[in-house]
Amino acid sequence: MKVFKNLTVQVITAVIIGVIVGLVWPDAGKQMKPLGDTFINAVKMIIAPIIFLTIVLGIAKMGDMKKVGKVGGKAFIYFEVVTTIALIIGLLVVNIMKPGEGLDYSKLEKGDVSQYTQNGGQGIDWIEFITHIVPSNMVDAFAKGDILQVLFFSVLFGVGLAALGERGKSIIDFFDKLSHVFFKIIGYIMRAAPIGAFGAMAYTIGHFGLDSIKPLASLMLSVYITMFLFVFVALNIICKIFGFSLWNYLRFIKDELLIVLGTSSSESVLPRMMDKMERYGCSKSVVGLVIPTGYSFNLDGTSIYLSMATVFLAQVFGVDLTIGQQVTIILVLMLTSKGAAGVTGSGFIVLASTLSALQVIPLEGLALLLGVDRFMSEGRAIVNLIGNGIATIIVAKSENEFDEVKSTQAVKEMKTAV
């Protein structure tokens, strides 16, 4: 049937089957982990070169370095403002719902958090964090897939290529053709998205089960309520201010949202998202700068989770945080959240670093979150994805780099397809 050839239907079906397998045959579900890991590895394999090519092409084709700086400046200001809004909403909801009050820490299922605390336990070394952005070896940065280092090198390369003017045109043309090859590769990889989504979901349910998350259901509910409010209230207001429909945008990226839901990683759709934003009307140069940068600096979903998890643990341990301490949490998270890439589990590591920096809440409290972190990572990744796309549209509109006709046509084609 034609309907089953649709990626959306395939991913939804795969996720449902994954949940069933995890519940009915948990041991079999645990064995499905390699399917999800292999799919994400396949995507991560080409993330670094795609980021490099898109940023270099975005800067080189823009030509005017003042414009590059202007677009980058607007993007960073937007990232920081919206991330702060996400943090504040998270703190408000967690203080109102108080999910951590009344929970007995000694009776809850705990686990080994050494893998998360071994780096975060000593606090955040900001000098090391900043110096780490500059790679000592270009090849090593690409080999490790270190997004911040790849971003740094890509910007320098793009600026250097733009400075060549006409002499660099042949290189730009070559990179442009090369980028099409990589996007063709990601198209092949995406055909396996349903398999990856099935494997990741079957493992999650089979390994953690539903019973293990019951004591922490209140926190999960609070986090998802906050994410809902952030997307459909805060981001919706922003979309209306800039003259476009949140609902149309969400429908346009529905396939990407479902893939992220299954894989729990927003990086799994980074190349597709860049293509979608161009088709939605954003210029290639703006997309090439904003989307990859947003994956390191505009993590709205992760920011919400970090702020709420911190206060949740304070409530569990009976630590009464003052207004001043909660403001400090916002300030610290405005920095620490920038160190979390869109990869599953990174938010947990950043949370360990944040707790170490605050030195108010026991670090061993992280063990409480092991059972539910994986279930909330889907929500974090989805909100991160939505936020980055909206940021791209807004920056493009503010720079008159948004094609309204192209956007209208894309929405019409989407509705016709539905």
Side-chain angles (χ1 to χ4, degrees):
M1 293 176 65
K2 186 177 179 180
V3 66
F4 286 106
K5 293 182 179 179
N6 184 281
L7 183 63
T8 302
V9 176
Q10 291 176 358
V11 172
I12 290 176
T13 303
V15 168
I16 293 173
I17 295 175
V19 171
I20 294 173
V21 170
L23 287 174
V24 180
W25 302 286
D27 290 336
K30 294 176 186 177
Q31 302 304 313
M32 298 298 106
K33 188 175 187 291
L35 294 178
D37 289 347
T38 302
F39 171 72
I40 292 178
N41 285 341
V43 176
K44 289 171 67 176
M45 171 181 67
I46 61 171
I47 288 295
I50 283 182
I51 286 178
F52 171 73
L53 290 170
T54 50
I55 288 183
V56 168
L57 288 171
I59 293 175
K61 288 184 176 181
M62 204 172 282
D64 185 357
M65 289 302 99
K66 288 184 178 180
K67 189 171 184 180
V68 172
K70 190 178 178 183
V71 170
K74 284 184 177 179
F76 275 106
I77 292 173
Y78 175 86
F79 293 163
E80 207 57 66
V81 170
V82 176
T83 299
T84 303
I85 293 173
L87 289 169
I88 292 173
I89 294 176
L91 287 178
L92 286 174
V93 174
V94 77
N95 275 288
I96 292 172
M97 296 191 68
K98 300 184 184 303
E101 287 192 355
L103 289 181
D104 186 350
Y105 172 76
S106 63
K107 293 181 179 179
L108 292 178
E109 180 178 341
K110 298 181 281 290
D112 179 22
V113 296
S114 58
Q115 59 177 316
Y116 302 109
T117 60
Q118 59 185 359
N119 295 323
Q122 303 301 319
I124 305 168
D125 188 335
W126 293 109
I127 295 178
E128 181 180 344
F129 176 78
I130 293 172
T131 55
H132 175 73
I133 295 175
V134 182
S136 60
N137 186 306
M138 176 194 72
V139 177
D140 185 59
F142 280 85
K144 291 182 177 178
D146 192 313
I147 290 182
L148 284 176
Q149 293 188 346
V150 172
L151 279 171
F152 181 84
F153 175 75
S154 302
V155 170
L156 284 182
F157 196 99
V159 171
L161 183 57
L164 290 177
E166 285 298 317
R167 290 180 296 167
K169 192 175 185 304
S170 59
I171 300 177
I172 294 174
D173 291 339
F174 171 71
F175 279 1
D176 189 48
K177 292 176 182 177
L178 191 60
S179 69
H180 283 88
V181 174
F182 278 101
F183 276 103
K184 182 65 69 173
I185 293 173
I186 199 65
Y188 298 144
I189 293 174
M190 280 303 117
R191 294 180 183 178
I195 299 175
F198 162 76
M201 192 59 68
Y203 166 75
T204 298
I205 301 298
H207 182 75
F208 295 107
L210 295 180
D211 291 337
S212 65
I213 66 172
K214 285 181 180 178
L216 300 166
S218 182
L219 172 62
M220 289 182 61
L221 178 63
S222 301
V223 170
Y224 277 101
I225 286 175
T226 304
M227 291 178 177
F228 181 88
L229 291 174
F230 175 73
V231 172
F232 292 100
V233 177
L235 290 184
N236 193 23
I237 290 173
I238 293 173
C239 291
K240 288 184 181 298
I241 291 174
F242 284 87
F244 66 98
S245 168
L246 172 67
W247 181 242
N248 283 340
Y249 161 72
L250 292 178
R251 291 178 65 187
F252 189 71
I253 63 167
K254 64 180 184 301
D255 288 351
E256 289 69 35
L257 293 175
L258 287 168
I259 292 172
V260 170
L261 174 65
T263 62
S264 189
S265 170
S266 55
E267 278 199 340
S268 62
V269 294
L270 188 151
R272 282 178 58 98
M273 194 64 181
M274 292 166 68
D275 179 58
K276 276 288 184 76
M277 288 298 95
E278 286 184 46
R279 287 165 53 193
Y280 199 70
C282 301
S283 71
K284 188 179 185 69
S285 57
V286 170
V287 171
L289 282 173
V290 179
I291 288 286
T293 308
Y295 267 71
S296 287
F297 295 96
N298 186 41
L299 303 174
D300 301 325
T302 302
S303 298
I304 289 171
Y305 168 74
L306 290 173
S307 63
M308 298 187 73
T310 302
V311 178
F312 166 78
L313 291 177
Q315 293 170 353
V316 169
F317 286 105
V319 178
D320 187 17
L321 296 175
T322 64
I323 297 297
Q325 287 175 317
Q326 296 201 31
V327 170
T328 302
I329 290 175
I330 292 178
L331 295 175
V332 171
L333 288 175
M334 282 172 65
L335 296 173
T336 56
S337 62
K338 301 300 179 284
V343 182
T344 303
S346 60
F348 212 86
I349 298 171
V350 173
L351 181 58
S353 299
T354 304
L355 294 181
S356 299
L358 294 172
Q359 296 183 346
V360 175
I361 304 163
L363 200 61
E364 60 267 22
L366 286 172
L368 282 175
L369 302 175
L370 281 178
V372 293
D373 181 76
R374 186 60 173 75
F375 288 92
M376 289 188 285
S377 63
E378 287 91 351
R380 295 200 301 264
I382 287 173
V383 174
N384 290 342
L385 180 73
I386 293 172
N388 282 326
I390 290 176
T392 306
I393 296 172
I394 289 173
V395 173
K397 279 178 168 284
S398 69
E399 285 293 305
N400 294 318
E401 295 279 349
F402 188 81
D403 190 332
E404 296 287 354
V405 176
K406 194 174 182 180
S407 177
T408 302
Q409 183 62 31
V411 171
K412 283 183 180 179
E413 291 177 356
M414 170 198 67
K415 291 181 178 179
T416 302
V418 174

